[in-house]
Amino acid sequence: MNGTNDIKQNLLSQALPFHETDIPYIHQILYTIDEAQITLDQFPQLNEEVPITVVDKRLMT
Amino acid sequence: MTELAWLPVSQLAHLIQSKQLSPMELTTAVLHRIDTIDPAIRSYITPLHETALNLAKEAESDIMHGKYKGPLHGIPIGIKDNYDTKGIRTTSGSKLFANFIPGKNATTVDKLLDAGGIIVGKLNLHELALGSSGTNLVFGTTRNPWNMRYMPGGSSSGSGAALSAGLATLATGTDTFGSIRVPAAMCGIYGLKPTYGLVSTYGIMPSAWSLDTAGPMARSASDLAYMLQAMAGYDANDPASLRAAIPDYTEDLNKGIKGITFGIPKHYLEGLDPDVARLFHHAVATLQHLGAEIKEILIPELSMSTFAGYMTVTGEASAFHYKWLQTHANDYAQDNRSFLLSGTLTKTPQYVKAQQARRMLTKAFRNAFKEVDLLLGPAIPATTPAFANQWVEQNLALIRRCMPFTVPINLTGVPSLAVPMGLDTKGLPVGMQIIGKHLSEKQLLQAGSAWEKLNPLQFRLT
């Protein structure tokens, strides 16, 4: 999914310009994220957690 | 004259209050050092001679007329250049904002001015406060004053370098995934990443909203206490601002650490460079000698930090920069363009999963603080690197290596104090971090002050 062509096509589809030499760096960052995501498997109860989100409670009163 | 630039706030404040030292004399001494030393270090983007001298003149007049404001009155402070300063160019270290002149001050700038601080200049940073090396192709790369071939750390590179070279008494920093603690470690100074929301970020260029924290940097823990006292407090303009009582941060600085229990998460002992491991083990033994209790503890949830950190930083930062990435891609340095573009390619469920991991990690920290008073670990696992020609790869690799040590603090919103541990075999500083529960800054500064009295680094006069 994070192959060179996939990355380029996805960026082009979002009208995001890039340099050809950016692609290996982007690939490396996405690889780091994908590798790190494996750690979540050690926590099967993770899906019971409510996500932390930025909520300004003053907007509700 | 040179000696003045190295004195701590407590000594300077006494001299200024008792009228033995004029703010003009102190400010002139610091500006002179900036003029003579900084062209090689490049810690400042915009030195502010006229502004500083006007503020110093005003401070001197106030003090002569009996209107002494407190310990920061007349103290030279450098401001990181992502803090808005009214009528003064605020670049965020980026070509995109090279000519941006804000119409008002960041809340913290106003607070420091209200306390009588003298702004001596706007400090250099890694572009957009998104990077760990301090490289900046637009305004010049900041050098580490301990050895100019080595990086100062980032993103608050100018703040760390200016303090370690005696080019400011205090400096502001921001920390989204380590930007106060990394330069503090590499430059051998003290840096506090406060509890999320304790210090206003209003008027500071966002990096990643849910992680961004503003904080003080100094050459001692006690100087941090004086500065935090002025910076902390509720701000209605900042949606993340906490309505927390602000204690006297200087009150417990001399209490020592006898009886305090430090927990060392095993995660923080993995993957250390040999010099970092050696100095950290020595620091732990020293703390025990001072009467602290030390425990190794397990926080397995820390293993999710790298994923949650990358997803949150790249996701939020790319959202903020999205339009500029489409229209001004060439105005970004290659490391940041790649970093930000990565954030446009990840999936929304991954971002949400990262926020679930944050809640779980925060709960794990809360449980840890039922067992111990403070946590302890190296600030970063690596010793300070020399600048490499492959600067893009070098910065991205450094972020990858440091993220597991720095970002858990931002993900959970707890405070962390970076302090120097000693020098590595190349003669460059190495730092450790003391981590506390939410709003425990007073205790962190107490521990940092006890540590500081051991004088882990002797500052050189250059």
Side-chain angles (χ1 to χ4, degrees), chain A residues 14 19 21-22 37 50 58, chain B residues 234 322 326 330 337 359:
Chain A
Q14 297 184 72
H19 292 207
T21 52
D22 296 343
Q37 190 167 0
V50 175
R58 285 168 297 186
Chain B
Y234 176 71
Y322 199 81
Q326 288 179 319
N330 286 331
R337 190 173 56 243
R359 187 176 294 273

Side-chain angles (χ1 to χ4, degrees), chain A residues 1-2 6-8 10-11 13-23 25-30 32-34 36-40 42-58, chain B residues 210 234-236 238-240 243 300-301 303-304 306-307 310-311 314 322 325-326 329-330 334 337-339 341-342 344-347 350 352-353 355-360 362-363 390 392-393 396 400 411:
Chain A
M1 275 304 284
N2 289 330
D6 294 327
I7 290 171
K8 288 181 185 174
N10 198 329
L11 292 173
S13 72
Q14 297 184 72
L16 290 164
F18 59 88
H19 292 207
E20 198 65 36
T21 52
D22 296 343
I23 301 299
Y25 298 123
I26 295 170
H27 189 275
Q28 178 64 53
I29 294 164
L30 294 175
T32 300
I33 293 171
D34 285 347
Q37 190 167 0
I38 295 169
T39 58
L40 306 191
Q42 297 164 31
F43 302 94
Q45 69 282 32
L46 180 62
N47 217 29
E48 293 166 24
E49 299 291 347
V50 175
I52 285 183
T53 48
V54 182
V55 177
D56 185 348
K57 293 181 179 61
R58 285 168 297 186
Chain B
S210 72
Y234 176 71
D235 178 11
D238 177 0
R243 288 183 188 272
E301 291 83 355
S303 66
M304 295 189 286
T306 297
F307 171 74
Y310 267 98
M311 284 307 306
T314 60
Y322 199 81
L325 285 168
Q326 288 179 319
N330 286 331
Q334 188 170 30
R337 190 173 56 243
S338 304
F339 194 71
L341 287 175
S342 301
T344 71
L345 298 170
T346 52
K347 307 285 188 293
Q350 286 182 294
V352 175
K353 200 54 77 183
Q355 307 319 306
Q356 290 178 289
R358 284 177 73 177
R359 187 176 294 273
M360 187 175 267
T362 306
K363 286 180 181 174
Q390 303 294 326
V392 177
E393 175 56 31
L396 295 176
R400 196 161 55 237
L411 292 168

